[in-house]
Amino acid sequence: MKRNKLFVYVCCLVVGMASFFLVRSSALNAQEPLPLQSNIGTSTKIEFVQPNLLSKAELSESDNSSILNQPSLIAASVDSNEIIKFACEPRQVDVHNYSGGVVSYCKKKDFTIAENDSARVDIKPGAARAPHWHNTWEEQVLISGKAKTFVIDNKGQVHEEVMQPGMVSFLPAGLTHWSEAVGNETASFLFIFPAGFKTFELSDSIANLNPKVMKSIMGVQLAKIKQNRDAVLMIDK
């Protein structure tokens, strides 16, 4: 009797294990990906490109030789022997001397790497950069000395700023403006403009007015006025 019970127990155990493995095998087969259906013909050859990746050993190299030997992304058309001029001393390029100071330029036509024109303006004590305007904006940076910059807005209102070294001012296109040195030290500015800017002097505009119109406005005759054509002039005390 005991043998019969043992035989039944063993049979149940075998059947149970067989069922377990059968179910597990079915589950694993269900997880396998189905073959992809593609429109690519059987004759089409598919090529896989392996990217040129650096190995862990190469990344740990102290001399970075593997990194440095990678293909360059810089255009190979640049002549390695060509000297690139990326700095300019305006007082050695385009210099204009006036009674009240000096204006010197580094313009794109002479400094081709630049995307703008620039000027250094040195205003002597007691002098001013004469009133004028441009067809573009202007940015000023005071390098040394002390100065006042004036601008006339579209309503005719005059505004002024006292400039200290390192200060920046921005003057919109078309607004009349000028700068004066303050104190006993030369005021040195860096002016920046879009490339190809143009300057219009206020004195030229006044000189070209109809004499009768000028007399009606100012009460003086142009024939009696002597135009000072200096862009940087001494201010009469």
Side-chain angles (χ1 to χ4, degrees):
M1 188 71 176
K2 291 182 179 180
R3 289 181 179 179
N4 291 338
K5 290 183 178 180
L6 179 62
F7 176 76
V8 172
Y9 174 77
V10 171
C11 290
C12 292
L13 180 63
V14 171
V15 172
M17 292 180 65
S19 300
F20 170 77
F21 285 110
L22 180 62
V23 172
R24 185 173 183 274
S25 177
S26 299
L28 290 175
N29 291 334
Q31 293 179 359
E32 292 181 359
L34 296 175
L36 295 176
Q37 294 184 357
S38 173
N39 294 326
I40 301 176
T42 56
S43 60
T44 303
K45 183 179 180 181
I46 303 176
E47 296 183 356
F48 296 91
V49 179
Q50 178 67 29
N52 186 17
L53 301 177
L54 297 177
S55 67
K56 186 178 295 184
E58 288 173 327
L59 287 173
S60 64
E61 290 178 354
S62 59
D63 61 354
N64 293 325
S65 59
S66 298
I67 297 175
L68 296 175
N69 289 332
Q70 291 294 301
S72 174
L73 298 179
I74 301 176
S77 59
V78 178
D79 186 357
S80 59
N81 295 322
E82 180 183 357
I83 298 176
I84 300 176
K85 183 180 179 182
F86 57 91
C88 176
E89 169 53 79
R91 291 171 294 181
Q92 297 177 357
V93 179
D94 185 8
V95 182
H96 301 263
N97 288 287
Y98 302 102
S99 62
V102 181
V103 179
S104 47
Y105 296 96
C106 280
K107 295 184 178 179
K108 185 172 177 59
K109 64 182 181 68
D110 303 309
F111 188 37
T112 55
I113 196 173
E115 296 298 332
N116 55 265
D117 292 338
S118 55
R120 174 170 177 148
V121 179
D122 297 288
I123 306 173
K124 295 178 182 178
R129 170 63 179 96
H132 61 284
W133 68 91
H134 308 285
N135 64 329
T136 67
W137 53 261
E138 173 187 327
E139 193 169 62
Q140 299 182 348
V141 181
L142 185 63
I143 303 171
S144 62
K146 187 178 179 180
K148 285 184 180 180
T149 292
F150 302 82
V151 61
I152 303 176
D153 65 22
N154 292 325
K155 297 180 180 180
Q157 182 70 35
V158 179
H159 307 267
E160 72 173 74
E161 286 285 353
V162 177
M163 302 289 291
Q164 301 285 353
M167 289 184 65
V168 178
S169 63
F170 184 89
L171 305 168
L175 297 187
T176 300
H177 58 276
W178 67 98
S179 297
E180 302 176 2
V182 175
N184 298 319
E185 185 180 352
T186 296
S188 296
F189 281 94
L190 171 65
F191 292 175
I192 302 171
F193 314 87
F197 78 101
K198 294 182 179 180
T199 300
F200 304 92
E201 300 291 341
L202 179 61
S203 61
D204 289 337
S205 299
I206 294 176
N208 289 321
L209 284 175
N210 184 308
K212 293 183 179 179
V213 173
M214 182 64 182
K215 185 177 180 180
S216 299
I217 297 174
M218 305 299 295
V220 295
Q221 295 181 356
L222 285 177
K224 296 182 179 180
I225 298 177
K226 182 179 179 181
Q227 181 183 2
N228 186 341
R229 302 188 66 87
D230 280 356
V232 186
L233 44 79
M234 299 304 298
I235 302 174
D236 293 334
K237 301 297 183 181

